[in-house]
Amino acid sequence: MSDKIRVMLSEEEVNSRIAELGAQISKDYEGKEVFLLCILRGSVFFTTELAKRITVPVMIDFMSVSSYGDGTKSSGVVRIVKDLDSSIEGKDVLVVEDIIDSGRTLSYLLETLKQRHPASVKLCTLLDKPERRVVDVNVDYTGFEIPDEFVVGYGLDYAQKYRNLPYIGVVELGEEA
Ligand code: IMP
Ligand code: MG
């Protein structure tokens, strides 16, 4: 029983868009260091690929958050499961996220981070589903805006599976492979 996956964004499309984002970020942060804050686990693939395309000095640290909710809907209250190892005080922080859906997780997290007195906080997401937004979030860098479909691959999972796909796809549930 394997699910059928329809390709939404090919490996080439994703990688070339990440290279563009890296170039833009390198330009915008010229003369500075950028502190990439990778949100585990979904953003790992995106963060490493993006980091390789950034030419200014880069630091990377990880945070794992879980939002209280009923499983399908995030409540907007975020619990930090694993905090950063390093301080962000005075740093130019770029939060790297896999996908922004309702916006609840990110809006809560950004407020929390601002209380730690970074020099700046910006947000970079590989994917954005604007139709699903419930809470306003200011996104500085977006890879792709996508329609309201559940996607997997490039770090995104469906019940912890498919994170390792090198492209973005849609799981066609109930389909025979
Ligand atoms: P929200 O913006 O607070 O609703 O939550 C965004 C989080 O929900 C993301 O970081 C993902 O972990 C998860 N998520 C939302 N949409 C998808 C999807 O299409 N595929 C996989 N995970 C998703
Ligand atoms: Mg996530």
Side-chain angles (χ1 to χ4, degrees), residues 55-93:
T55 52
V56 298
V58 161
M59 282 169 291
I60 303 179
D61 202 349
F62 304 87
M63 195 180 232
S64 178
V65 297
S66 103
S67 60
Y68 291 110
D70 60 10
T72 57
K73 221 170 56 193
S74 57
S75 61
V77 179
V78 176
R79 185 165 60 96
I80 297 175
V81 177
K82 184 226 168 286
D83 207 336
L84 298 169
D85 289 328
S86 32
S87 162
I88 57 168
E89 194 175 335
K91 300 281 200 300
D92 290 298
V93 177

Side-chain angles (χ1 to χ4, degrees), residues 146-157:
I146 60 165
D148 181 13
E149 288 189 278
F150 195 85
V151 289
V152 294
Y154 226 97
L156 291 147
D157 72 302

Side-chain angles (χ1 to χ4, degrees), residues 39-43 65 67 72-76 78 97-107 127 129 132-134 137 146-153 155-158 163 169:
I39 310 288
L40 295 170
R41 285 171 255 179
S43 306
V65 297
S67 60
T72 57
K73 221 170 56 193
S74 57
S75 61
V78 176
E97 182 56 306
D98 49 2
I99 188 164
I100 301 180
D101 189 44
S102 71
R104 286 188 170 105
T105 309
L106 257 294
S107 100
L127 305 173
K129 289 185 195 172
R132 301 261 305 167
R133 197 63 36 85
V134 174
V137 195
I146 60 165
D148 181 13
E149 288 189 278
F150 195 85
V151 289
V152 294
L156 291 147
D157 72 302
Y158 171 65
R163 291 192 197 274

Side-chain angles (χ1 to χ4, degrees), residues 7-164:
V7 178
M8 180 188 274
L9 297 162
S10 70
E11 182 173 4
E12 292 70 25
E13 284 176 283
V14 175
N15 288 342
S16 83
R17 181 67 187 126
I18 295 175
E20 287 175 5
L21 289 174
Q24 184 64 50
I25 290 164
S26 303
K27 220 172 118 200
D28 295 350
Y29 285 83
E30 214 179 302
K32 295 180 184 171
E33 285 185 353
V34 57
F35 185 105
L36 297 182
L37 195 169
C38 171
I39 310 288
L40 295 170
R41 285 171 255 179
S43 306
V44 168
F45 291 72
F46 177 38
T47 302
T48 56
E49 189 58 34
L50 183 66
K52 288 190 278 179
R53 307 298 159 211
I54 295 177
T55 52
V56 298
V58 161
M59 282 169 291
I60 303 179
D61 202 349
F62 304 87
M63 195 180 232
S64 178
V65 297
S66 103
S67 60
Y68 291 110
D70 60 10
T72 57
K73 221 170 56 193
S74 57
S75 61
V77 179
V78 176
R79 185 165 60 96
I80 297 175
V81 177
K82 184 226 168 286
D83 207 336
L84 298 169
D85 289 328
S86 32
S87 162
I88 57 168
E89 194 175 335
K91 300 281 200 300
D92 290 298
V93 177
L94 182 59
V95 177
V96 184
E97 182 56 306
D98 49 2
I99 188 164
I100 301 180
D101 189 44
S102 71
R104 286 188 170 105
T105 309
L106 257 294
S107 100
Y108 186 91
L109 186 65
L110 291 174
E111 284 315 308
T112 306
L113 293 174
K114 281 175 192 158
Q115 291 164 17
R116 300 184 185 185
H117 309 295
S120 66
V121 185
K122 283 191 179 185
L123 174 59
C124 177
T125 187
L126 179 60
L127 305 173
D128 188 1
K129 289 185 195 172
E131 286 168 52
R132 301 261 305 167
R133 197 63 36 85
V134 174
V135 180
D136 250 351
V137 195
N138 183 42
V139 187
D140 300 282
Y141 304 97
T142 303
F144 301 91
E145 288 195 354
I146 60 165
D148 181 13
E149 288 189 278
F150 195 85
V151 289
V152 294
Y154 226 97
L156 291 147
D157 72 302
Y158 171 65
Q160 297 305 326
K161 286 196 295 183
Y162 305 120
R163 291 192 197 274
N164 59 316

